[in-house]
Amino acid sequence: MAWVALVIVLALFEFLVFISLVGRARTLYGIAAPATTGHEMFERYFRVQQNTMEQLLLFLPSIWLFATFISATWAAALGAVFLVGRAIYAVSYVREPKSRGLGFGLTSLPNMVLMIGALVGAIRGVIAMASVG
């Protein structure tokens, strides 16, 4: 589980970097809080942060549950793909939003596998408990 914990912490640090980039873009493009629009480049950075937050909502519980019920090794490996996918997504989206496909895929696919695995593992656990008692 240490690898899973490491991947989770790295995902949170990656998100922190994206938050910092939004703050920097606010200053660079003159977008005062609480505005979230006003310059296309700022909006790109902001969308990367927001999309990452949306993906983390799925990722964090899914990786933990997958590791618990299925495999910590596979959870960490899928989490590593997620991290790389988020980095590719960020660079691609800021450069040209239409080019975000690879990064989005490398984020969505691990998330789907982690969620399905967590669901299957939880169902197996419920069945096992029901058969015992």
Side-chain angles (χ1 to χ4, degrees):
M1 290 293 276
W3 284 107
V4 173
L6 178 62
V7 167
I8 289 170
V9 171
L10 289 174
L12 295 173
F13 272 112
E14 185 176 54
F15 184 56
L16 189 60
V17 168
F18 296 160
I19 291 169
S20 298
L21 290 173
V22 170
R24 192 182 86 171
R26 272 193 186 283
T27 301
L28 187 61
Y29 300 109
I31 309 298
T36 57
T37 61
H39 191 283
E40 182 181 355
M41 290 308 293
F42 166 77
E43 291 170 19
R44 291 179 186 190
Y45 283 102
F46 183 72
R47 279 305 309 147
V48 167
Q49 178 204 343
Q50 291 301 296
N51 187 268
T52 301
M53 183 170 52
E54 294 161 5
Q55 292 296 323
L56 281 172
L57 182 65
L58 303 173
F59 176 72
L60 293 172
S62 296
I63 191 173
W64 196 259
L65 292 168
F66 187 100
T68 300
F69 289 116
I70 304 294
S71 166
T73 301
W74 279 105
L78 289 163
V81 173
F82 175 92
L83 288 172
V84 171
R86 281 286 89 194
I88 292 170
Y89 179 88
V91 170
S92 300
Y93 196 96
V94 169
R95 187 179 315 134
E96 170 53 53
K98 292 178 184 173
S99 71
R100 70 189 185 276
L102 176 62
F104 187 78
L106 290 174
T107 298
S108 297
L109 183 61
N111 260 349
M112 289 304 297
V113 172
L114 290 167
M115 287 189 301
I116 291 168
L119 177 63
V120 169
I123 290 170
R124 285 158 126 185
V126 167
I127 292 169
M129 286 183 350
S131 68
V132 171

